[in-house]
Amino acid sequence: MLEEATIEHDLYLFHQGNLRYSYQLLGAHPDIKEGKEGYRFMLWAPNAQGVNIVGDFNNWDGREHPMEKLTENGIWYGFIPALTEGTIYKYEILTPHGHLRLKADPYGFSSELRPNTASVTYPLNKYSWNDEQWMKRREKLNIYETPVSIYELHLGSWKNIELEVYYTYREYADMVIPHVKELGYSHIELLPITEHPFDRSWGYQTTGYFAATSRYGTPDDFRYFVDQCHQNGIGVILDWVPAHFCKDEHGLRRFDGEALYEYQDTLKADKPQWGTLTFDFGRKEVQSFLISNAIFWLKEFHLDGLRVDAVASMLYLDFGKEEGQWELNEYGGRENLEAVEFVKKMNEAIFEEDPHVLMMAEESTSWPLVSAPTYIGGLGFNYKWNMGWMNDMLEYIEMDPIHRKHHHHLITFSLFYAFSENFVLPISHDEVVHGKKSLLNKMPGDYWQKFANLRAFLAFMYAHPGKKLLMMGTEFGQFDEWKDLEDLDWELLEYDSHASTLAYFKQLQQLYNDMPALWELDHEEEGFFWIDANNYEQSIVSFARNSRKSNDQLIVVCNFTPEVYHNYRVGVPEEGTYQEIFTSDATHFGGSGQTNALDLHSISEPWQSQGQHIQMTIPPLAVSFLKRTSSPKEEK
């Protein structure tokens, strides 16, 4: 039972925008009043003329359970004895205009299965976690200097029973986790599992911010999924959508008859591109709502991080809008100043609560210092998606190789800014849907060349500075683009090319996990240098990746044409013997077998600004990884 003094203090913080655990106060909670067990309800609805709690328990008759208005700031309270877990309910709100509206609980912890829209009572604290070892390990981990590779996952289309009939979170845990673990990924990133009315919004248009979607089971079923991931050494990141919400009647839109969660100014509120509404980031109670929601998922579900969707749409008033659909800010700029301050405040709060989590921004512009701390002027995230690298590389790799020499800058330009942020290299669901084709099917050439291009692209991605994210299905060469209502084409694994691609990806991932040079200095200039960035005529680049130990250095040579070159000279920084430890052109991966099986001895003649060079075979549409295995002193 909450003490009156506690409620008063928490409400003060709530209205100041500083109540980080507002979900413990607002919403529906098991409680005891006058010796009777039941559920306590609290709601923020300052414009409402009256609020009733309705559900099956009172035949949806609001007169049975009216709420009491506790404060002038619009906090409403009610207690209903004998209510139990699983009770369906809504709020019946009398608006200032005399209309009755039925609304789901903004702080509801569970929801009915769509198309039904009511909230469902559900306690927060009945699940027993078994991931203590993982949580302790996370506290000691330096995430910037460890391998991070993320499997982007949409549960309903990974595998389903039939159209719009899904497995449960627990069943998905039993199927997904062994697959992801075998692939060697460090994390799973889930497309939003916050409650949403329309399957094909994939969760990005939310109505229930505190409810794990009932499509796949209960909130504790989802906790089980996270728990099992952790017990198997896999972190879990959730796509989170604080930028906007959908307009469905039972949701947040004009919640108490007036604009409450959204801006009152319709130019600021409307997102015409998506048909949604923007949160009022300057309103203190909305700040408490959103910050509490982020902390809710991190604390109550032990999530390891949030990927914050559509950050650019928060930062810019004109994002996705035509002339006349937006207005300049008070200083004559196009930045949403309230959103900028909110993002900083949000990240400060989250890292004060837990400094070991990931806050990843999907930010598609050149806004500076996105992944820098707020005390030096940054937005306070610790990672940013590298959308520039993604766009350049996809444009490049989709070209016929004969044209690539004219666009060589697309594979080199990213290194001009690679260390300006802590970057994640993303090939996400957005790039393999809506007619954009799958990653494999983007590739030019015949059937063999498509797979060779895919292998080369993935190897270049894994060798490039930055953490990695790939959409599910890439691991075996999904040929069709992502079909959000159907499951992945697992039957393709019956064909050699796709089975070989899966084997290739596993070994590439293993190479990445085993080689500190590929991740230890991801965000430091010392971790990378070009050997030759300028051979545009042959579309060949070579570079080195370093770790803190000099003998971990890797030389990477990439050929983006189908030509083979023998006795090709590559500069190397150190004298000694080099071995090709991995190549995407190996025959067991489906390649042509133009490998360097013998030792490559350095020649003491400068080349490509290096003191030594080797002569090697450059395979077609392939990437080779070389490592110095001995020095002249060791050879003697």
Side-chain angles (χ1 to χ4, degrees):
M1 181 182 297
L2 287 174
E3 298 293 334
E4 187 173 334
T6 301
I7 292 175
E8 185 176 344
H9 178 260
D10 285 354
L11 288 178
Y12 172 80
L13 294 177
F14 176 71
H15 293 301
Q16 293 297 309
N18 295 321
L19 186 58
R20 297 176 179 178
Y21 290 81
S22 61
Y23 63 86
Q24 295 178 351
L25 178 69
L26 296 160
H29 296 268
D31 206 344
I32 299 174
K33 184 177 181 181
E34 297 176 354
K36 296 180 180 179
E37 294 184 356
Y39 265 79
R40 159 178 54 86
F41 296 83
M42 289 187 72
L43 178 71
W44 174 56
N47 299 298
Q49 299 302 299
V51 181
N52 305 314
I53 308 166
V54 295
D56 289 341
F57 53 88
N58 61 11
N59 295 315
W60 299 88
D61 185 347
R63 295 170 297 181
E64 294 291 323
H65 294 98
M67 298 185 79
E68 172 192 357
K69 191 173 184 181
L70 281 186
T71 70
E72 291 302 314
N73 291 326
I75 299 298
W76 298 80
Y77 168 85
F79 179 84
I80 303 178
L83 283 193
T84 57
E85 176 187 333
T87 299
I88 295 168
Y89 71 99
K90 279 188 177 181
Y91 295 114
E92 182 183 72
I93 296 176
L94 179 62
T95 73
H97 313 289
H99 301 130
L100 286 177
R101 295 285 184 266
L102 285 177
K103 292 287 188 177
D105 191 343
Y107 286 86
F109 302 133
S110 183
S111 297
E112 283 188 292
L113 179 63
R114 53 91 177 96
N116 295 328
T117 57
S119 300
V120 180
T121 57
Y122 202 92
L124 286 175
N125 55 0
K126 67 172 188 171
Y127 184 82
S128 297
W129 289 91
N130 294 289
D131 63 347
E132 183 179 358
Q133 186 175 353
W134 169 270
M135 299 299 281
K136 287 182 177 179
R137 172 182 172 272
R138 197 178 79 179
E139 291 179 4
K140 300 176 182 177
L141 189 68
N142 181 349
I143 196 67
Y144 307 104
E145 297 185 4
T146 56
V148 175
S149 54
I150 304 167
Y151 188 73
E152 191 183 39
L153 173 66
H154 178 254
L155 284 173
S157 58
W158 190 83
K159 190 174 286 187
N160 57 44
I161 299 171
E162 58 185 74
L163 185 65
E164 297 183 342
V165 180
Y166 306 114
Y167 295 98
T168 67
Y169 292 112
R170 292 174 184 265
E171 290 170 327
Y172 279 121
D174 294 340
M175 294 185 289
V176 170
I177 293 171
H179 180 69
V180 173
K181 188 175 182 180
E182 185 179 6
L183 292 175
Y185 278 103
S186 64
H187 291 76
I188 287 171
E189 181 178 310
L190 290 160
L191 269 64
I193 56 89
T194 43
E195 193 59 82
H196 52 284
F198 183 46
D199 285 4
R200 305 201 73 180
S201 80
W202 316 325
Y204 289 100
Q205 295 194 12
T206 292
T207 49
Y209 272 81
F210 288 84
T213 179
S214 54
R215 286 167 176 80
Y216 315 122
T218 69
D220 281 354
D221 291 337
F222 180 53
R223 287 182 174 93
Y224 174 87
F225 179 92
V226 177
D227 201 353
Q228 290 299 307
C229 284
H230 287 173
Q231 291 180 51
N232 283 276
I234 300 168
V236 183
I237 300 164
L238 178 66
D239 270 17
W240 184 58
V241 192
H244 60 130
F245 57 89
C246 63
K247 295 181 177 180
D248 290 59
E249 181 60 30
H250 69 284
L252 300 178
R253 176 179 175 269
R254 298 187 69 83
F255 185 79
D256 57 4
E258 301 289 345
L260 189 65
Y261 288 89
E262 70 270 37
Y263 284 109
Q264 291 189 8
D265 181 349
T266 56
L267 289 180
K268 292 179 75 172
D270 280 336
K271 276 189 162 46
Q273 183 180 22
W274 298 322
T276 55
L277 294 169
T278 306
F279 279 103
D280 183 347
F281 300 112
R283 188 155 195 167
K284 301 302 185 181
E285 295 86 354
V286 173
Q287 293 176 9
S288 288
F289 175 84
L290 288 173
I291 292 172
S292 293
N293 187 242
I295 291 171
F296 170 81
W297 291 108
L298 295 169
K299 292 290 189 180
E300 301 296 335
F301 289 84
H302 288 203
L303 294 178
D304 302 283
L306 301 174
R307 176 267 196 184
V308 183
D309 180 64
V311 172
S313 79
M314 301 168 69
L315 300 178
Y316 295 99
L317 295 167
D318 63 340
F319 182 91
K321 295 184 177 183
E322 304 293 336
E323 186 175 350
Q325 294 180 329
W326 66 284
E327 294 178 345
L328 297 170
N329 65 33
E330 59 188 283
Y331 300 110
R334 61 193 186 97
E335 300 82 12
N336 186 335
L337 303 176
E338 299 156 358
V340 174
E341 292 308 309
F342 165 74
V343 166
K344 293 178 180 180
K345 180 177 181 177
M346 171 191 74
N347 283 322
E348 288 172 356
I350 288 169
F351 285 116
E352 284 175 13
E353 293 293 329
D354 189 341
H356 308 291
V357 297
L358 295 165
M359 289 297 291
M360 297 179 166
E362 187 220 11
E363 203 287 307
S364 54
T365 74
S366 56
W367 190 285
L369 301 177
V370 171
S371 59
T374 58
Y375 59 78
I376 61 169
L379 289 181
F381 294 96
N382 54 4
Y383 274 97
K384 173 181 174 174
W385 275 24
N386 193 336
M387 310 295 278
W389 172 88
M390 178 271 294
N391 285 315
D392 286 350
M393 279 306 302
L394 291 182
E395 181 181 350
Y396 181 83
I397 206 69
E398 290 185 61
M399 293 177 187
D400 188 303
I402 198 171
H403 301 304
R404 288 175 179 170
K405 67 180 180 181
H406 303 297
H407 303 273
H408 192 72
H409 66 284
L410 292 173
I411 57 171
T412 60
F413 180 68
S414 60
L415 270 302
F416 282 103
Y417 61 86
F419 308 106
S420 63
E421 301 273 6
N422 299 328
F423 278 122
V424 174
L425 308 183
I427 300 296
S428 73
H429 65 280
D430 278 331
E431 313 316 318
V432 295
V433 74
H434 295 327
K436 294 181 181 179
K437 302 180 181 178
S438 70
L439 189 57
L440 174 63
N441 208 15
K442 291 178 190 288
M443 304 300 171
D446 59 25
Y447 194 69
W448 184 89
Q449 289 181 338
K450 282 184 177 294
F451 282 94
N453 271 301
L454 176 65
R455 292 192 301 270
F457 174 86
L458 291 174
F460 179 76
M461 176 182 182
Y462 270 66
H464 190 287
K467 309 309 183 185
K468 325 299 176 190
L469 177 140
L470 283 163
M471 177 60 169
M472 63 183 192
T474 306
E475 67 268 24
F476 61 83
Q478 173 87 7
F479 206 85
D480 287 344
E481 69 178 18
W482 177 41
K483 298 164 288 189
D484 54 3
L485 294 181
E486 302 176 34
D487 52 14
L488 296 177
D489 295 329
W490 296 104
E491 64 275 10
L492 290 176
L493 288 171
E494 298 174 12
Y495 298 90
D496 289 344
S497 294
H498 295 275
S500 298
T501 298
L502 180 62
Y504 168 73
F505 187 81
K506 289 178 184 177
Q507 290 197 30
L508 176 64
Q509 183 75 53
Q510 189 64 54
L511 174 77
Y512 172 72
N513 290 338
D514 290 345
M515 296 293 165
L518 295 178
W519 39 261
E520 192 172 51
L521 296 176
D522 257 334
H523 313 304
E524 306 291 337
E525 292 186 12
E526 294 78 10
F528 176 95
F529 65 86
W530 285 113
I531 293 173
D532 181 18
N534 301 315
N535 187 358
Y536 64 91
E537 282 288 349
Q538 294 170 300
S539 298
I540 295 175
V541 294
S542 53
F543 54 87
R545 291 298 310 273
N546 296 326
S547 76
R548 299 200 183 281
K549 296 180 180 178
S550 59
N551 59 353
D552 285 339
Q553 185 181 76
L554 292 179
I555 307 298
V556 184
V557 184
C558 313
N559 177 17
F560 290 105
T561 73
E563 300 298 320
V564 181
Y565 302 95
H566 298 287
N567 298 316
Y568 185 94
R569 290 194 289 178
V570 176
V572 292
E574 301 288 343
E575 184 181 2
T577 299
Y578 290 77
Q579 288 182 350
E580 184 179 74
I581 62 170
F582 187 87
T583 175
S584 66
D585 194 50
T587 55
H588 56 278
F589 298 145
S592 67
Q594 298 292 327
T595 61
N596 295 274
L598 301 178
D599 288 348
L600 303 169
H601 300 286
S602 65
I603 299 169
S604 296
E605 179 183 337
W607 188 251
Q608 296 170 338
S609 301
Q610 305 301 312
Q612 311 281 321
H613 73 270
I614 57 174
Q615 290 184 317
M616 64 177 291
T617 294
I618 304 292
L621 295 172
V623 175
S624 301
F625 292 78
L626 311 174
K627 194 173 191 302
R628 189 170 71 112
T629 56
S630 62
S631 64
K633 182 178 180 181
E634 290 169 334
E635 290 170 1
K636 288 180 182 179

